[in-house]
Structure formats: C-alpha cells, structure tokens
Amino acid sequence: MGKQRKSWSVEEKLAIMLAVLSERQSVAEIARQHGVNENQVYRWKEQFLAAGRQGLNGAKAQTADQRLEAENSQLKKLLGEKATGRW
C-alpha cells in the first residue's frame, strides 16, 4: 500500500512560513525539522507571499473560481520551469 499523505493545518503552515521568512535557518533545515518536503515549503512560501501582496493591494477576497485559476496558473508555471530545467 502507498504512503498516506500528511495534511497540514493553516497554523502549521504559518509557523513554517514565519520560520522561513525569519531567515535564521535554511529552507532545507526548516523542512527537515517539520518533516515537509523542501519543494512543498517553497510552494507554500510563494502562495503566502502572493496572498500578502493581494492584501497590501487592498484586493477583495478571491472567489473559489479565482483561487482555482490562480492555482492552475501556478502549477502551469512550475511545470514549465521543471520542463525547462530551471529548478
């Protein structure tokens, strides 16, 4: 049987993001300490910073469709970066 995926709460993700943004440790070290894949931490960081930018711009809360479109765009970008070897 396959390995079961861990579901991270918003509070756990926030704690990890604050640790990353403090820059006291590398992302690799923080990921290892929390048992998270390093790539996942980078994805959360990108999402966290994007949401912060929206908040500072005074943007209204996104609808579910807008969130899905944004996630779709982000995934396409990541796939393109992987395909071009920019990882």
Side-chain angles (χ1 to χ4, degrees), residues 32-52:
R32 226 176 292 115
Q33 287 175 352
H34 292 275
V36 182
N37 184 292
E38 189 175 343
N39 290 328
Q40 181 66 56
V41 174
Y42 281 114
R43 283 190 292 274
W44 288 344
K45 181 179 177 184
E46 188 174 312
Q47 291 169 349
F48 184 80
L49 294 176

Side-chain angles (χ1 to χ4, degrees), residues 8 12-42 44-45:
W8 301 91
E12 290 171 314
K13 292 178 186 179
L14 180 59
I16 292 168
M17 286 303 93
L18 293 176
V20 167
L21 294 174
S22 75
E23 297 182 342
R24 292 186 186 133
Q25 296 176 299
S26 71
V27 171
E29 291 172 321
I30 294 167
R32 226 176 292 115
Q33 287 175 352
H34 292 275
V36 182
N37 184 292
E38 189 175 343
N39 290 328
Q40 181 66 56
V41 174
Y42 281 114
W44 288 344
K45 181 179 177 184

